[in-house]
């Protein structure tokens, strides 16, 4: 799935205007691929969609 920068900006705009967004995951620039994968696996195993709705989550956690 390809996400454009415009759609990411739209999600930020929606969040700032108190509209519903599914959640935004932001990768920290110095994160390693291993850290990112580990955190995404953790999120997939124990997280629920509503845990991330209307939030910005930075990876690694």
């Amino acid at each position: 799935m390809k996400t454009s920068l415009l759609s990411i900006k739209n999600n930020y705009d929606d969040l700032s205007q108190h509209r519903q967004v599914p959640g935004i995951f932001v990768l920290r620039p110095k994160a390693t691929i291993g850290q990112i994968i580990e955190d995404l696996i953790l999120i997939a195993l124990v997280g629920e969609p509503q845990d991330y709705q209307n939030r910005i989550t930075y990876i690694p956690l």
Side-chain angles (χ1 to χ4, degrees):
M1 175 171 41
K2 185 176 179 182
T3 302
S4 72
L5 291 177
L6 181 59
S7 67
I8 293 170
K9 182 188 179 314
N10 289 342
N11 279 334
Y12 276 113
D13 291 345
D14 287 345
L15 189 59
S16 69
Q17 294 174 15
H18 305 289
R19 291 188 221 140
Q20 298 286 339
V21 296
I24 299 169
F25 291 93
V26 178
L27 304 180
R28 297 180 194 265
K30 295 187 179 189
T32 66
I33 296 295
Q35 291 171 316
I36 294 167
I37 292 171
E38 282 182 20
D39 283 359
L40 290 175
I41 290 171
L42 179 65
I43 289 167
L45 291 175
V46 299
E48 296 293 329
Q50 62 269 18
D51 295 338
Y52 302 98
Q53 185 173 2
N54 301 318
R55 291 189 53 194
I56 298 172
T57 303
Y58 292 87
I59 306 276
L61 300 172

